[in-house]
Amino acid sequence: MGHDPLVNARDIRISVAASCHSILRTCLSVSFHIHTVLGGDAWVRAGYPFVSSTQVIAIIGVILIKNKRLQDEAAAERPATTAVLTPPLSLEGGLAAEHRPPNLLRRVLSLFGNLPPLFNMPKSQLQCYGEAVYCIGEDYLNKCAKGKSSLERFASVVAWSISTTRPALFGQAPFNPVLGETHHVSRGSLNVLLEQVSHHPPVSALHATDATENVELIWCHKPVPRFHGASVEAVIKGKRHLKLLKFCENYEMDSPNLLIKLLPTTGADWVGDVSIRCKDSGLEADLCYYKSHVFLGFGGSSKSVRGKILHSKTLKTIYEIDGQWDRIVKLKDVHSGEVTVLYDAKKAISGLKTPILQAPQNMWPTESATVWSEVSQAILNKEWGKASAAKQNVEEKQRKLQRERKSSGELWVPKHFTVTHTKDNEWDCSPLEQSVPPAPIIVPP
């Protein structure tokens, strides 16, 4: 077999630069005065002569920087093999059963400021978004593509939308994804890819494709906090798109908001209005997540959902929707009075399986399970000092990269999505590739 000249050239450049780096570092260590004049590590700023009267120093800086960049590029090309994958949030068992949150006072304090690892669940927000798609018991997504009529498919889409609502842990927050972080998982023929396309504000993009069922998902999420005195509401901005390619149908929908209550009782619930629209079939649905009351504002369920499916043009109601998203949601035909089960949470989000790493050699260094692996493992082991140090290391690395980009004038762009802004100054994300490839992490059958 022949050798790749490009790879050989790169290896030679790295080898030569490394040799120069070693020699020059030795020279610099001999002359401490030179290092002091350069201002500590100021020599890493390329493009400027460090001591105008000495061209050698400028050359040293350029060589050192080029060597550093080559080493960083080589490191980025090496596959990551360490990953920590934890159980998904589910109705019964899962992460909530294995990872107990701290006591009540600590939970309340965790809502303010930068969270120490004690108040983090051992996973990234990207993983939480992804689990809502690939971690499922009864597959409501495939039901969407198998409906015989547009109305049947629409009802299935409503049920699938409800299935993405998962139990929230009060006082436990996922890691805030770093810029460029990715999460790539496959479940059967469904391949899911997420990328953090912005850190401030936090914006996450999702693309999922299923070639067997001709299904495509595109999400763009931007949580925005709103304070209401005794509660904090995370408003989820952005749209979710579900495309049934076989039927040329595009469904656009919202996400409910997460309400964190502090007084008079504590808790975390999904609330707010969700709209689902399909212009291709002329159907729409309006849902409301709310807390029901039994007597004088007391009792009831905090996980209630109600709504209706109607014709977009006539606004004539076809079905009424009512139930609890963590139990049973029923569908009532307003004409015949017939009532059927639209969604069964026990079948959909109970006993969910934990993803596993199948092909570590194909995993990207930007994978969430790798980026946060040391922090997650320390949290699971309850080694809080180690977890705190590991988390600070991840965050400081990102701050360093940000400073370097700012210093060089480099503009960071997502690797897997294009990002635009709508007329309302909201974010919109479009995948660069038509389909998502199989992932190194899979959900076992």
Side-chain angles (χ1 to χ4, degrees):
M1 293 179 61
H3 297 287
D4 187 338
L6 294 178
V7 174
N8 289 339
R10 183 195 65 184
D11 293 341
I12 291 172
R13 295 198 330 265
I14 292 176
S15 178
V16 172
S19 299
C20 293
H21 176 267
S22 177
I23 295 171
L24 292 170
R25 283 299 294 268
T26 302
C27 294
L28 286 175
S29 64
V30 171
S31 179
F32 179 79
H33 175 69
I34 292 178
H35 186 67
T36 304
V37 170
L38 296 179
D41 291 332
W43 47 267
V44 299
R45 292 176 293 190
Y48 298 93
F50 305 107
V51 179
S52 58
S53 62
T54 309
Q55 296 298 323
V56 176
I57 300 298
I59 294 173
I60 289 175
V62 173
I63 292 176
L64 290 177
I65 284 183
K66 287 185 176 180
N67 176 42
K68 181 179 183 299
R69 288 179 177 172
L70 288 172
Q71 289 176 336
D72 290 344
E73 290 173 3
E77 291 175 2
R78 289 196 297 268
T81 56
T82 303
V84 174
L85 297 161
T86 54
L89 294 171
S90 62
L91 194 60
E92 298 175 359
L95 185 64
E98 296 188 13
H99 182 62
R100 299 289 182 181
N103 63 48
L104 179 59
L105 177 59
R106 289 179 176 176
R107 291 190 225 176
V108 174
L109 294 176
S110 74
L111 301 172
F112 303 94
N114 188 26
L115 295 181
L118 180 64
F119 308 112
N120 281 122
M121 62 179 71
K123 66 178 64 204
S124 169
Q125 180 64 64
L126 284 190
Q127 292 170 278
C128 293
Y129 286 146
E131 288 173 0
V133 176
Y134 60 71
C135 282
I136 191 73
E138 186 172 348
D139 198 339
Y140 280 85
L141 184 59
N142 282 350
K143 285 184 178 182
C144 300
K146 297 184 184 302
K148 296 180 180 179
S149 67
S150 59
L151 182 56
E152 183 179 347
R153 291 191 295 273
F154 192 92
S156 296
V157 170
V158 173
W160 172 80
S161 176
I162 297 173
S163 77
T164 63
T165 307
R166 304 298 167 90
L169 297 181
F170 176 76
Q172 294 281 280
F175 305 124
N176 186 18
V178 299
L179 187 65
E181 180 180 326
T182 58
H183 185 48
H184 189 196
V185 180
S186 292
R187 180 184 185 274
S189 57
L190 177 67
N191 303 315
V192 184
L193 173 62
L194 297 99
E195 182 177 17
Q196 192 71 7
V197 298
S198 174
H199 188 65
H200 294 295
V203 181
S204 308
L206 177 148
H207 185 212
T209 55
D210 188 327
T212 302
E213 300 297 337
N214 287 316
V215 172
E216 181 178 24
L217 295 170
I218 301 174
W219 292 9
C220 184
H221 279 182
K222 184 184 77 169
V224 178
R226 291 180 180 174
F227 298 89
H228 304 291
S231 64
V232 181
E233 184 176 5
V235 179
I236 310 299
K237 298 282 188 178
K239 295 291 184 181
R240 300 176 174 183
H241 291 269
L242 166 57
K243 298 180 180 180
L244 302 181
L245 304 177
K246 180 180 178 181
F247 302 100
C248 299
E249 293 176 348
N250 180 21
Y251 299 80
E252 182 180 286
M253 63 200 77
D254 304 314
S255 170
N257 303 325
L258 181 62
L259 180 65
I260 302 170
K261 297 177 295 181
L262 307 178
L263 294 172
T265 58
T266 60
D269 298 314
W270 294 101
V271 299
D273 298 327
V274 171
S275 65
I276 304 174
R277 303 282 185 272
C278 180
K279 295 181 180 179
D280 305 295
S281 63
L283 297 171
E284 61 183 79
D286 293 320
L287 302 178
C288 177
Y289 288 75
Y290 70 104
K291 179 178 180 179
S292 61
H293 302 290
V294 176
F295 180 72
L296 296 178
F298 297 96
S301 171
S302 61
K303 298 174 176 59
S304 298
V305 59
R306 65 185 175 196
K308 56 186 177 181
I309 297 176
L310 59 152
H311 290 288
S312 298
K313 290 185 178 180
T314 63
L315 300 182
K316 188 175 182 180
T317 300
I318 306 171
Y319 291 116
E320 291 178 347
I321 300 168
D322 189 47
Q324 288 80 41
W325 62 261
D326 65 331
R327 299 177 189 177
I328 296 290
V329 179
K330 295 182 179 180
L331 192 69
K332 179 181 178 180
D333 188 320
V334 297
H335 299 292
S336 66
E338 180 183 3
V339 177
T340 57
V341 174
L342 175 67
Y343 172 72
D344 187 337
K346 188 172 184 179
K347 293 180 180 180
I349 58 174
S350 288
L352 302 180
K353 297 180 179 179
T354 303
I356 59 175
L357 179 58
Q358 185 182 54
Q361 70 278 8
N362 296 331
M363 190 166 60
W364 301 327
T366 54
E367 165 61 44
S368 295
T370 294
V371 172
W372 300 100
S373 60
E374 188 175 351
V375 190
S376 296
Q377 190 60 60
I379 289 175
L380 293 173
N381 295 339
K382 292 181 170 41
E383 298 174 335
W384 305 118
K386 186 176 180 180
S388 180
K391 186 178 181 183
Q392 289 176 8
N393 183 50
V394 173
E395 294 169 344
E396 179 53 36
K397 181 179 178 181
Q398 290 306 303
R399 285 191 286 266
K400 180 180 178 183
L401 291 173
Q402 184 180 14
R403 289 193 297 267
E404 290 177 354
R405 286 192 295 267
K406 184 177 181 180
S407 177
S408 64
E410 177 186 354
L411 178 64
W412 184 88
V413 294
K415 186 176 181 179
H416 305 283
F417 295 85
T418 57
V419 176
T420 58
H421 291 86
T422 65
K423 295 179 180 178
D424 300 328
N425 200 31
E426 294 298 338
W427 293 66
D428 190 26
C429 304
S430 301
L432 292 174
E433 300 296 333
Q434 187 174 359
S435 61
V436 178
I441 300 174
I442 66 167
V443 179

